[in-house]
Amino acid sequence: MLPLILAGPIVRRSSEESILLWLATSQELVLKAEAYIEPLKSPQKLTRVGAGSTVCSIRLGEFL
């Protein structure tokens, strides 16, 4: 039996407007991701950024 996560998550691209993550799994998943900013002066206080996400899933094999 394969593990659920085969590879990743890997940051493929990032900008001030977006972050593109890559994740290879052995089965289809429903994912929810959130991004936070951690200020240098107060690392205990995280600020959530972003309001939504787009998910694209591509099946590359029987178990990928």
Side-chain angles (χ1 to χ4, degrees), residues 35-49:
Y36 293 84
I37 294 174
E38 179 182 53
L40 293 174
K41 294 181 180 180
S42 179
Q44 305 88 331
K45 185 176 180 182
L46 299 176
T47 303
R48 184 173 171 210
V49 295

Side-chain angles (χ1 to χ4, degrees), residues 8-30:
I10 297 171
V11 177
R12 298 286 295 158
R13 188 178 322 133
S14 67
S15 68
E16 290 185 18
E17 294 82 30
S18 66
I19 299 171
L20 176 63
L21 299 174
W22 178 87
L23 178 68
T25 63
S26 61
Q27 55 187 281
E28 189 174 346
L29 298 176
V30 175

Side-chain angles (χ1 to χ4, degrees), residues 4-6 18 20 22-23 31 34 37 39 56 61 63:
L4 179 60
I5 297 177
L6 301 173
S18 66
L20 176 63
W22 178 87
L23 178 68
L31 299 174
E34 296 180 353
I37 294 174
C56 177
F63 298 108

